[in-house]
């Protein structure tokens, strides 16, 4: 069965890149545009892994991760943070919010797939 | 979808982000200190940087990066966005836009300018806040080791070794360095979705691995907390990939585990020698009974064969940890961390909900313009077809069975609704054009040394995209003009008792089916003496011409007119206000100026909302069917003989409610007939013309009101003075749509030039 990936990113460019990369790698991809939408579609999307941006309108990545972790069904789901922020503070905050790992932009398909493979069975 | 398409999307998105950036900065400039505004500005630059990085647009990335760093200082309240700071930021936004365009179209940018701004941005980030870091730290160094007491790099010396010594495919095991890894996950590791199993699996891919699961910490079942981590693993790994590769495996987990990686001498791990620890197979089923582990030692000769088995065992051991976690979930025990963060996240959620309500954006899709245009065209045909159908039903069945008529009426209504809806697809807010203007204002203000504030109102007023696209150019020119000619220098302004900063106000609003755009400045107003003199010098008017103020003001729309003593760099690009006027007219619009000396000028443009359909009054003139745009008509009346007064040689006036209004014989103007028609036999349409004055257009009869689909005459035939366009009526005949303003203008000169008139055109 195909693994399902929920991506949360407000940038259309990045959303499209994620979609193309993930589909090519044989994942099923569900997309949301910000944290609020991400939480809204979570149940229905029923993902195996989540990839989320940090800087987003309405609800940022930190809030989104916390929201996911509060959901009993998904509180142990792997969540990867897509971020250009390579500074320690951001990563630390994402980690504290419950992120499993991160992918540092610029977006690199290989890195993305590697990271997903690393956190999913 | 391929990368090129995504790149195209990226540039589209950049445009939106740039607009967002600029409007955010302008809001900040107006004193808005809403953190969300700052965030939006930051996000815009951040997004551009993110996408640009993916496409390797290095210039864009590096500029965006510096910009972002400075914005981050604002975001974290380390830098106050005062006027001087915002000035630099607005300029940076312009450079960012230039860089984006250059990246897309391959043009060049003013490198000196962007370098200069990078310096200024860095100065802002550093100068005012010395401790702010201008550049983020490198990734590898970034991870703070929050909890890793066991990890101790002291005394650890990486051993240099050469990859040349190894065959890539068949690594010589004997020569490979062996690492001893102690990995002890904490509960958090599982809570964050990491999996010891997967980490071990990754590790096993690095080389030959033997593994020992240490279950000493596992308590009796009744004291076991299902969400805690009790297992630790000791791993012996032979790999030529180096310690970094090992640590990379644990990259995501390093805070949530104790990790120790030690190099056991490079040649120590030869088979037969004693390993630092013995690999152990173990049976997980015992977990069901008691937390004890039976450990067996594998014979050395079996070691290699057993490797796979060991790996599997390790993997399943790790899997238990996550099973335990799942058990806890089904057992529904209240986990500690759940209540801990509950209050904080509840607050976060309600804040998010508020934000969501505030910016409840409706979902949108992006559609190719071609498709929309095709749809509009089809709907146009549908409207015509429906009209023809209605007409033929009426002609063939004069009595009209009521069901057919009712059906037709419904069809008509539906067609109309479809048409309105389709038109609404093309309607867009004027915001993007207005936003572009603020940059124009900034640039000219810089060039002229004037201080200007642009205020925009009604940015969300919607109008057909075609109108918007064609609006930018005349508007740009007018803005340039307003700043360059309209506003005075700060010294002159102060001397005149005004504030040093001039104001240019750009307003859009809907008014009776048209969009009205106003451009007002609070400058000196039109210098009528100068304009008049210039017009005399240029032989536009006679030296003794007696002109009203309004007429003098309107002289600036004459071809080749410029009042600037010297043609300046800014306004004098060979484009005069006459060109502005013509492009507005080409859109079916009108432009007016009103000016008050010392107080400024107001340019008013009135444009149709759409260029595709028009509500018209169908009239007959000399057996020809014409359409008069309904928006132009104030009222219609049947003239009485007593109301008609002759005036001058050939002119007539009609008195309407005690005021006189020139009577314009449309048939005569268009050369449909040689002699004047008898007003009493026809109908007068009272129209409002460009200058605001009223005229009565004489037509023979009114056929009715109808919405007509505009078909360009220029595209299909040629431009005809007095005629705006054509349409196809219900009976399939072509009717011409009257250009009321030209007709009125022509009436002053009695008639259109015969060789250009309809009579000549056939």
């Amino acid at each position: 069965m195909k693994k399902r990936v929920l991506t949360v990113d407000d940038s259309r460019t990045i959303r499209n890149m994620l979609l193309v990369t993930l589909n090519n790698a044989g994942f099923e991809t569900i997309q949301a545009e910000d944290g609020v939408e991400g939480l809204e579609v979570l149940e229905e999307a029923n993902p195996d892994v989540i990839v989320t941006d940090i800087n987003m309108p309405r609800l940022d990545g930190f809030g989104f991760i916390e929201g996911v972790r509060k959901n009993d069904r998904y509180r142990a789901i792997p969540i990867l943070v897509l971020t250009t922020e390579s500074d320690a503070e951001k990563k630390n905050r994402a980690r504290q919010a419950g992120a499993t790992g991160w992918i540092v932009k610029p977006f690199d398909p290989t890195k993305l797939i590697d990271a997903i493979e690393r956190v999913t069975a | 979808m391929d990368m090129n398409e995504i790149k195209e999307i990226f540039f589209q998105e950049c445009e939106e982000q740039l607009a967002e950036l600029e409007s955010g900065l302008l809001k900040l400039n107006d004193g808005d200190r809403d953190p969300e505004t700052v965030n939006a500005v930051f996000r815009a630059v951040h997004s551009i940087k993110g996408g640009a990085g993916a496409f390797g647009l290095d210039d864009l990335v590096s500029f965006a990066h510096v910009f972002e760093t400075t914005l981050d200082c604002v975001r974290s309240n380390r830098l106050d966005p005062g006027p001087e700071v915002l000035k630099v930021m607005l300029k940076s936004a312009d450079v960012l836009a230039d860089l984006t365009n250059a990246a897309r179209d391959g043009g060049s940018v003013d490198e000196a300018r962007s370098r200069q701004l990078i310096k200024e941005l860095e100065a802002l980030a550093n100068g005012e806040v010395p401790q702010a870091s201008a550049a983020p730290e490198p990734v590898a160094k970034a991870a703070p080791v929050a909890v890793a007491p066991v990890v101790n790099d002291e005394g650890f010396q990486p051993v240099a070794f050469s990859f040349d010594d190894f065959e890539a495919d068949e690594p010589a095991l004997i020569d490979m360095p062996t690492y001893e890894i102690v990995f002890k996950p904490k509960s958090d590791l599982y809570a964050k979705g990491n999996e010891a199993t997967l980490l071990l699996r990754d590790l096993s891919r690095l080389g030959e691995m033997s593994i020992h699961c240490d279950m000493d910490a596992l308590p009796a079942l009744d004291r076991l907390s299902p969400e805690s981590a009790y297992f630790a693993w000791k791993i012996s790994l032979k790999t030529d990939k180096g310690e970094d590769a090992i640590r990379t495996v644990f990259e995501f987990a390093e805070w949530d585990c104790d990790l120790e990686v030690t190099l056991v001498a490079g040649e120590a791990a030869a088979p037969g020698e004693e390993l630092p620890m013995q690999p152990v197979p173990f049976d997980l089923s015992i977990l069901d009974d008691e937390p004890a582990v039976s450990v067996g030692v594998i014979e050395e000769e079996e070691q290699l064969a057993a490797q796979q088995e060991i790996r599997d065992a390790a993997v399943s051991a790790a899997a238990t940890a996550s099973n335990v976690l799942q058990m806890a979930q089904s057992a529904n025990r209240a986990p500690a961390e759940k209540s801990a963060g509950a209050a904080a996240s509840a607050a976060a959620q309600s804040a998010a909900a508020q934000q969501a309500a505030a910016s409840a954006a409706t979902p949108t899709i992006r559609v190719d313009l071609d498709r929309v245009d095709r749809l509009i065209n089809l709907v146009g045909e549908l409207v015509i077809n429906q009209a023809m159908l209605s007409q033929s039903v009426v002609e063939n069945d004069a009595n009209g069975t009521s069901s057919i008529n009712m059906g037709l009426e419904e069809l008509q209504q539906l067609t109309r609704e479809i048409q309105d809806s389709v038109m609404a697809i093309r309607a867009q807010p004027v915001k993007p054009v207005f936003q572009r203007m603020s940059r124009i204002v900034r640039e000219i203000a810089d060039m002229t040394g004037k201080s200007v504030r642009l205020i925009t109102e009604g940015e969300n007023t919607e109008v057909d995209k075609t109108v918007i696209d064609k609006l930018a150019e005349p508007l740009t020119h007018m803005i340039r003009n307003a700043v360059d000619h309209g506003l005075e220098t700060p010294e002159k302004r102060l001397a005149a008792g005004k504030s040093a900063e001039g104001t240019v106000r750009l307003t859009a609003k809907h008014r009776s089916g048209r969009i009205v755009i106003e451009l007002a400045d609070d400058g000196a107003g039109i210098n009528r003496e100068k304009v008049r003199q210039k017009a005399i010098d240029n032989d536009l008017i006679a030296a003794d011409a007696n002109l009203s103020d309004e007429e003098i003001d309107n002289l600036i729309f004459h071809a080749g007119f410029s009042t600037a003593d010297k043609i300046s760099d800014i306004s004098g690009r060979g484009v005069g206000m006459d060109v502005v006027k013509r492009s507005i007219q080409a859109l079916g619009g009108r432009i007016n100026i009103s000016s008050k000396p010392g107080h400024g000028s107001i340019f008013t443009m009135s444009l149709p909302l759409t260029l595709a359909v028009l509500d018209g009054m169908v009239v007959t003139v000399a057996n020809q069917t014409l359409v008069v745009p309904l928006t132009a008509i104030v009222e219609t009346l049947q003239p009485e003989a007593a109301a008609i007064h002759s005036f001058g040689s050939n002119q007539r006036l009609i008195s309407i409610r005690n005021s006189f209004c020139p009577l314009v014989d449309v048939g005569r103007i268009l050369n449909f007939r040689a002699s004047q028609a008898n007003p009493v036999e026809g109908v007068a349409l009272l129209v409002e013309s460009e200058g605001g004055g009223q005229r009565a257009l004489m037509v023979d009869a009114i056929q009715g009101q109808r919405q007509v689909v505009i078909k360009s005459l220029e595209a299909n035939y040629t431009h005809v003075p007095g005629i705006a366009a054509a349409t196809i009526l219900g009976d399939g005949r072509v009717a011409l749509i009257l250009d009321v303003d030209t007709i009125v203008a022509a009436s002053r000169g009695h008639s259109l030039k015969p060789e250009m008139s309809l009579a000549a055109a056939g």
Side-chain angles (χ1 to χ4, degrees):
Chain A
M1 218 184 77
K2 277 188 175 183
K3 271 183 223 163
R4 296 166 68 86
V5 186
L6 170 64
T7 73
V8 188
D9 199 310
D10 60 327
S11 156
R12 209 159 57 238
T13 310
I14 301 294
R15 274 205 305 280
N16 277 299
M17 292 188 136
L18 285 169
L19 189 67
V20 171
T21 309
L22 292 170
N23 286 354
N24 286 346
F27 292 98
E28 194 173 333
T29 314
I30 305 103
Q31 302 202 299
E33 295 184 12
D34 58 38
V36 173
E37 197 192 348
L39 290 178
E40 277 167 10
V41 303
L42 180 63
E43 297 280 348
E44 201 185 324
N46 191 21
D48 299 305
V49 59
I50 295 172
V51 177
T52 179
D53 190 21
I54 288 296
N55 274 296
M56 293 182 290
R58 298 212 288 171
L59 181 62
D60 65 12
F62 304 128
F64 169 70
I65 296 170
E66 278 166 17
V68 174
R69 290 283 180 242
K70 271 194 303 190
N71 183 325
D72 262 357
R73 205 170 140 204
Y74 297 103
R75 66 198 180 94
I77 192 175
I79 303 178
L80 293 174
V81 172
L82 251 185
T83 176
T84 47
E85 329 275 1
S86 46
D87 68 302
E89 190 199 332
K90 285 273 159 42
K91 239 184 238 176
N92 208 15
R93 247 194 92 188
R95 205 180 51 76
Q96 275 163 4
T100 307
W102 57 86
I103 303 148
V104 178
K105 292 191 256 187
F107 185 91
D108 173 349
T110 321
K111 271 195 284 178
L112 172 73
I113 301 301
D114 276 358
I116 291 181
E117 298 280 349
R118 198 189 296 173
V119 296
T120 53
Chain B
M1 187 177 300
D2 61 15
M3 282 314 259
N4 280 335
E5 285 174 67
I6 297 181
K7 203 166 178 178
E8 195 49 47
I9 290 171
F10 165 66
F11 284 120
Q12 283 174 6
E13 197 173 10
C14 275
E15 258 173 49
E16 290 160 27
Q17 300 290 358
L18 288 167
E20 187 81 14
L21 168 65
E22 179 157 1
S23 73
L25 287 175
L26 290 172
K27 270 193 217 163
L28 293 176
N29 209 16
D30 289 342
D32 183 342
R33 286 293 177 273
D34 182 353
E36 189 41 43
T37 308
V38 182
N39 279 336
V41 166
F42 179 85
R43 265 201 311 273
V45 178
H46 182 78
S47 258
I48 292 174
K49 183 179 122 181
F55 293 108
L57 305 170
D58 296 339
D59 287 354
L60 195 51
V61 173
S62 53
F63 189 84
H65 177 69
V66 177
F67 197 178
E68 184 188 14
T69 307
T70 310
L71 282 169
D72 196 35
C73 293
V74 176
R75 198 168 64 150
S76 54
N77 293 322
R78 282 175 289 164
L79 175 62
D80 181 58
E84 287 311 307
V85 171
L86 280 162
K87 209 169 171 184
V88 174
M89 293 202 164
L90 282 164
K91 278 189 202 162
S92 304
D94 294 345
V95 169
L96 196 63
D98 289 347
L99 284 166
T100 310
N101 289 337
R104 177 180 49 206
D105 308 327
S108 64
V109 287
D110 184 348
E111 278 181 33
R113 191 170 177 218
S114 52
R115 270 199 304 273
Q116 173 62 26
L117 275 166
I118 286 179
K119 265 187 217 151
E120 287 178 34
L121 284 169
E122 280 173 345
L124 288 177
N126 294 326
E128 305 219 12
V129 211
Q131 76 276 18
S133 60
E137 298 161 54
V139 187
K141 304 283 178 202
V145 182
V147 270
V150 184
V151 176
N152 187 354
D153 286 347
E154 275 176 43
F156 169 79
Q157 294 293 327
V159 173
F161 59 91
S162 166
F163 285 103
D164 299 341
D165 297 342
F166 308 121
E167 285 291 325
D169 294 332
E170 291 175 33
L173 279 176
I174 294 173
D175 294 337
M176 263 196 215
T178 301
Y179 294 88
E180 185 188 313
I181 302 154
V182 179
F183 167 49
K184 185 175 188 320
K186 299 179 177 176
S187 315
D188 266 5
L189 183 132
Y190 300 108
K192 284 172 192 154
N194 267 307
E195 254 302 343
T197 327
L198 301 172
L199 295 171
L200 293 172
R201 181 189 67 184
D202 266 16
L203 205 56
S204 75
R205 289 177 181 154
L206 292 177
E208 292 288 344
M209 183 170 87
S210 63
I211 194 164
H212 168 81
C213 180
D214 177 0
M215 300 189 223
D216 292 351
L218 195 66
L221 192 55
D222 58 344
R223 277 184 287 123
L224 182 139
S225 161
E227 301 238 329
S228 296
Y230 296 106
F231 296 156
W233 285 268
K234 284 186 182 147
I235 303 130
S236 171
L237 177 68
K238 274 187 193 176
T239 180
D240 55 357
K241 304 280 197 305
E243 188 183 337
D244 280 353
I246 297 172
R247 291 207 176 265
T248 307
V249 169
F250 293 99
E251 187 186 10
F252 296 161
E254 65 181 302
W255 292 284
D256 301 317
C257 69
D258 294 337
L259 182 67
E260 195 174 357
V261 182
T262 323
L263 180 73
V264 189
E267 293 164 14
E273 290 181 35
E274 209 174 351
L275 288 169
M277 58 191 150
Q278 292 297 331
V280 284
F282 43 82
D283 180 3
L284 288 166
S285 59
I286 53 153
L287 269 176
D288 296 338
D289 308 330
E290 49 168 341
V293 183
S294 64
V295 176
V297 178
I298 298 181
E299 294 305 315
E300 285 163 9
E301 57 269 26
E302 292 173 351
Q303 196 180 332
L304 286 175
Q307 288 285 357
Q308 189 53 46
E309 199 183 325
I310 293 162
R311 262 178 229 166
D312 293 348
V315 160
S316 44
T320 11
S322 73
N323 287 344
V324 166
L325 186 60
Q326 279 161 8
M327 262 162 53
Q329 284 168 13
S330 51
N332 201 18
R333 296 189 191 178
E337 74 269 19
K338 207 174 155 187
S339 53
S345 11
Q349 213 169 36
S350 73
Q354 276 176 357
Q355 281 183 351
S359 63
T362 45
T364 55
I365 55 161
R366 300 177 77 84
V367 183
D368 266 0
L369 206 53
D370 287 351
R371 294 193 191 184
V372 176
D373 286 346
R374 194 173 136 72
L375 185 61
I376 286 179
N377 230 338
L378 282 173
V379 170
E381 300 297 329
L382 178 69
V383 170
I384 291 168
N385 206 278
Q386 175 263 321
M388 287 166 81
L389 181 64
S390 300
Q391 193 147 343
S392 61
V393 166
V394 170
E395 279 166 7
N396 290 320
D397 180 17
N399 300 326
T401 16
S402 62
S403 65
I404 291 181
N405 276 338
M406 269 170 62
L408 268 178
E409 255 170 56
E410 255 166 57
L411 179 65
Q412 193 172 354
Q413 202 163 345
L414 283 175
T415 316
R416 181 88 194 211
E417 270 176 40
I418 293 175
Q419 194 166 26
D420 286 349
S421 311
V422 170
M423 292 305 160
I425 297 177
R426 280 191 64 103
Q428 304 216 306
V430 293
K431 195 171 181 176
V433 179
F434 274 27
Q435 272 176 343
R436 247 189 280 172
M437 295 308 135
S438 62
R439 173 173 186 175
I440 308 280
V441 167
R442 275 199 300 283
E443 286 178 352
I444 297 160
D446 265 4
M447 287 166 85
T448 55
K450 290 174 183 174
S451 172
V452 188
R453 180 183 188 76
L454 177 73
I455 300 171
T456 53
E457 281 170 24
E459 292 177 319
N460 291 321
T461 312
E462 290 192 339
V463 65
D464 191 284
K465 193 169 181 326
T466 324
V467 178
I468 293 183
D469 291 347
K470 292 186 177 165
L471 199 58
E473 204 172 309
L475 209 52
T476 303
H477 186 78
M478 287 168 67
I479 292 261
R480 286 204 169 111
N481 220 63
V483 176
D484 193 19
H485 299 318
L487 295 178
E488 316 92 324
T489 57
E491 301 79 52
K492 276 190 189 166
R493 288 184 64 89
L494 288 171
K498 297 182 188 179
S499 64
E501 188 181 55
T503 305
V504 174
R505 187 181 293 268
L506 189 58
T507 320
K509 59 194 165 201
H510 281 146
R511 192 187 282 159
S512 57
R514 292 174 80 86
I515 183 170
V516 175
I517 294 174
E518 242 177 46
L519 179 70
D521 66 67
D522 67 345
I526 300 266
N527 184 339
R528 296 203 173 105
E529 256 325 295
K530 210 165 159 186
V531 167
R532 194 188 150 86
Q533 193 51 50
K534 182 98 183 178
I536 293 169
D537 293 350
N538 287 5
D539 283 337
L540 292 174
I541 53 170
D544 57 352
N546 185 14
L547 297 177
S548 69
D549 286 352
E550 192 196 330
E551 282 168 319
I552 295 177
D553 291 348
N554 277 291
L555 282 173
I556 65 164
F557 290 116
H558 269 88
F561 197 93
S562 176
T563 55
D565 296 327
K566 193 170 57 171
I567 288 180
S568 67
D569 211 18
I570 301 139
S571 309
R573 300 196 172 180
V575 183
M577 288 303 284
D578 59 317
V579 176
V580 171
K581 183 172 184 173
R582 251 181 285 142
S583 38
I584 298 290
Q585 278 176 335
L587 284 171
R590 303 188 281 266
I591 183 165
N592 268 306
I593 179 175
S594 74
S595 179
K596 239 179 165 180
H599 290 89
S601 314
I602 303 174
F603 287 88
T604 310
M605 283 168 281
S606 154
L607 296 155
L609 290 179
T610 168
L611 304 178
V613 286
L614 160 124
D615 275 308
M617 186 170 280
V618 184
V619 298
T620 313
V621 176
N623 294 324
Q624 299 278 341
T625 304
L626 294 174
V627 178
V628 185
L630 212 54
T631 45
I633 300 176
V634 182
E635 64 174 293
T636 60
L637 50 113
Q638 200 105 42
E640 288 167 21
I644 311 292
H645 305 273
S646 283
F647 166 73
S649 63
N650 212 2
Q651 303 267 42
R652 283 174 300 179
L653 297 173
I654 180 168
S655 83
I656 302 164
R657 289 182 290 273
N658 296 328
S659 75
F660 290 96
C661 175
L663 201 60
V664 179
D665 186 340
V666 177
R668 183 79 199 80
I669 296 276
L670 291 175
N671 281 334
F672 281 170
R673 56 182 155 227
S675 61
Q676 288 198 333
N678 182 0
V680 186
E681 287 169 9
V683 180
L685 311 177
L686 202 60
V687 296
E688 200 142 68
S689 73
E690 194 183 330
Q694 292 194 337
R695 296 283 191 282
L697 298 188
M698 275 306 306
V699 300
D700 295 351
I702 292 176
Q703 293 181 17
Q705 275 181 27
R706 187 165 308 164
Q707 187 171 52
V708 296
V709 180
I710 300 175
K711 298 277 175 190
S712 161
L713 208 56
E714 277 97 333
N716 299 309
Y717 179 61
T718 175
H719 177 70
V720 181
I723 302 299
T727 188
I728 302 166
L729 292 176
D731 58 5
R733 283 195 303 150
V734 173
L736 299 172
I737 301 172
L738 221 54
D739 181 346
V740 173
D741 287 338
T742 327
I743 295 283
V744 168
S747 74
R748 295 198 195 107
H750 306 300
S751 110
L752 298 164
K753 286 179 187 158
E755 70 272 19
M756 292 164 72
S757 73
L758 269 186

